[in-house]
């Protein structure tokens, strides 16, 4: 059975089409579009008109692709930008009438649970670890091992939110960096407590910015062909320092850094640096599987259960 998973992120809309027959989902087609739904006023909890229209046009394209592939089931999930926007419900309604796509707005807790399922499918979780997923609107943290989730939470500290609130200098100056750190100290107090309690040693970064880090460090890698990859801390720290010390123009000319992330990568690097220090984490890896693959895994489980029930 062919299914489609749509992830309506704050910066990017993603589409995966997969066949659920067989032991594992088989990806048939995948694409993404840089919608920038959080542009301009994400911290005011508003989707501006231009972003609203870009989102609908992206969903119209996805709808055409879904029809071409004769998909039987579509699961579209919306996260922070739509979840927190005063006109988020209007966007959900417009998506149904304009593109024929029904959107489920998921909570931060549900988002973290799907991310865990996606990362788990890579086989990367071998010990107690901290999963981190940096979005545009929110960032999720999951403390887990292969058997269970000990603690998980979503925070409204995504890269787009931080950038719009605190990134006022170029290159970013000490005052802006200190303001971000003070904000994170306040917001992440309970994460600090749980890191101290469970003491994970391994940071697993879920897709997004972590794919950018890995792709720029190791340009010979085909990120589309791998599920995970180790990132030596010394390599990451050199790259992070380069991002933070550079100007917009310098980053704009860095090979492998897409336009959408030219400024937000600074926020992602500062946030990752903060978490590595906060948890005294000694190991770091990329998981190319994230929320989308978690949703796909859940659809596979549901389909298999239905088939088993029919067989009985």
């Amino acid at each position: 059975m062919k299914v489609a998973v749509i992830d309506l992120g704050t910066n990017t809309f993603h589409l995966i089409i997969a066949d659920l027959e067989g032991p594992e989902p088989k990806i048939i087609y995948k694409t993404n579009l840089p919608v920038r739904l959080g542009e301009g006023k994400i911290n005011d909890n508003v989707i501006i008109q231009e972003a609203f229209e870009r989102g609908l046009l992206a969903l119209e394209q996805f709808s055409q692709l879904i029809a071409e592939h004769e998909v039987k089931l579509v699961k579209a999930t919306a996260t922070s930008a739509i979840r927190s926007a005063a006109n988020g419900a209007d966007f959900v309604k417009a998506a149904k009438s304009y593109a024929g796509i029904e959107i489920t707005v998921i909570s931060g807790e549900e988002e973290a649970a799907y991310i865990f399922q996606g990362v788990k499918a890579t086989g990367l979780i071998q010990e107690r670890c901290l999963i981190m997923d940096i979005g545009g609107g929110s960032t999720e943290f999951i403390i887990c091992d292969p058997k269970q989730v000990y603690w998980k939470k979503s925070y409204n500290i995504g890269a787009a939110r931080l950038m719009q609130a605190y990134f006022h200098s170029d290159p970013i100056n000490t005052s802006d960096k200190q303001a971000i750190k003070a904000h994170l100290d306040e917001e992440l107090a309970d994460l600090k407590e749980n890191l101290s309690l469970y003491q994970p040693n391994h940071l697993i970064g879920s897709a997004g910015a972590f794919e950018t880090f890995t792709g720029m460090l190791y340009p010979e890698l085909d990120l589309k062909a791998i599920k995970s990859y180790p990132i030596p801390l010394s390599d990451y720290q050199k790259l992070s320092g380069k991002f933070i010390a550079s100007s917009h123009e310098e980053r704009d000319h860095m090979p492998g850094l897409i336009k959408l992330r030219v400024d937000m990568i600074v926020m992602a690097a500062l946030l990752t640096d903060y978490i590595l220090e906060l948890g005294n984490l000694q190991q770091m890896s990329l998981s190319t599987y994230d929320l989308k693959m978690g949703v796909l895994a859940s659809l596979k489980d549901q389909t298999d259960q239905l088939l088993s029930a029919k067989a009985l």
Side-chain angles (χ1 to χ4, degrees), residues 23-92:
E24 287 189 14
K26 180 184 177 184
I27 307 294
I28 298 168
Y29 180 87
K30 64 190 298 187
T31 190
N32 63 74
L33 292 167
V35 172
R36 292 177 289 122
L37 205 63
E39 181 189 15
K41 292 194 173 184
I42 189 169
N43 290 323
D44 296 329
N45 298 321
V46 172
I47 302 169
I48 64 171
Q49 187 61 32
E50 296 91 336
F52 199 105
E53 291 171 4
R54 284 196 301 268
L56 293 181
L57 288 171
L59 290 178
E60 184 182 36
Q61 289 184 48
F62 286 179
S63 184
Q64 290 169 357
L65 289 163
I66 287 165
E68 288 169 15
H69 284 87
E70 299 180 337
V71 168
K72 300 297 182 187
L73 175 66
V74 178
K75 177 76 172 181
T77 56
T79 53
S80 179
I82 294 173
R83 183 166 65 223
S84 62
N87 57 342
D90 295 334
F91 185 85
V92 170

Side-chain angles (χ1 to χ4, degrees), residues 39 223 276 280 282 300:
E39 181 189 15
L223 292 174
L276 286 167
N280 191 29
Q282 300 300 309
K300 172 67 174 165

Side-chain angles (χ1 to χ4, degrees), residues 9-172:
T10 300
N11 295 319
T12 310
F13 284 8
H14 299 264
L15 169 67
I16 292 177
I17 297 174
D19 193 331
L20 296 187
E21 289 184 21
E24 287 189 14
K26 180 184 177 184
I27 307 294
I28 298 168
Y29 180 87
K30 64 190 298 187
T31 190
N32 63 74
L33 292 167
V35 172
R36 292 177 289 122
L37 205 63
E39 181 189 15
K41 292 194 173 184
I42 189 169
N43 290 323
D44 296 329
N45 298 321
V46 172
I47 302 169
I48 64 171
Q49 187 61 32
E50 296 91 336
F52 199 105
E53 291 171 4
R54 284 196 301 268
L56 293 181
L57 288 171
L59 290 178
E60 184 182 36
Q61 289 184 48
F62 286 179
S63 184
Q64 290 169 357
L65 289 163
I66 287 165
E68 288 169 15
H69 284 87
E70 299 180 337
V71 168
K72 300 297 182 187
L73 175 66
V74 178
K75 177 76 172 181
T77 56
T79 53
S80 179
I82 294 173
R83 183 166 65 223
S84 62
N87 57 342
D90 295 334
F91 185 85
V92 170
K93 185 177 179 181
K96 181 73 181 294
S97 60
Y98 185 80
I101 291 175
E102 192 163 332
I103 297 169
T104 301
V105 181
I106 60 174
S107 68
E109 286 284 302
E110 289 171 313
E111 189 173 356
Y114 278 132
I115 291 163
F116 169 71
Q117 290 298 328
V119 175
K120 186 179 177 183
T122 66
L124 188 56
I125 304 171
Q126 298 293 323
E127 59 191 342
R128 192 171 296 180
C129 61
L130 173 68
I131 298 171
M132 178 181 183
D133 187 298
I134 304 172
S138 64
T139 297
E140 285 68 46
F141 297 96
I142 305 103
I143 300 175
C144 59
D145 64 20
K147 294 181 180 178
Q148 64 179 305
V149 171
Y150 294 95
W151 178 88
K152 65 181 186 296
K153 190 168 179 180
S154 175
Y155 298 85
N156 281 335
I157 54 165
R161 289 189 193 276
L162 292 174
M163 187 176 75
Q164 289 180 29
Y166 299 105
F167 199 172
H168 306 308
S169 48
D170 182 41
I172 190 166

Side-chain angles (χ1 to χ4, degrees), residues 213 235-245 269-270 272-273:
F213 298 151
D235 289 359
Y236 163 73
Q237 286 159 352
K238 287 176 189 172
L239 181 64
S240 172
K242 185 179 176 182
F243 284 144
I244 294 166
L270 287 167
T272 303
D273 290 354

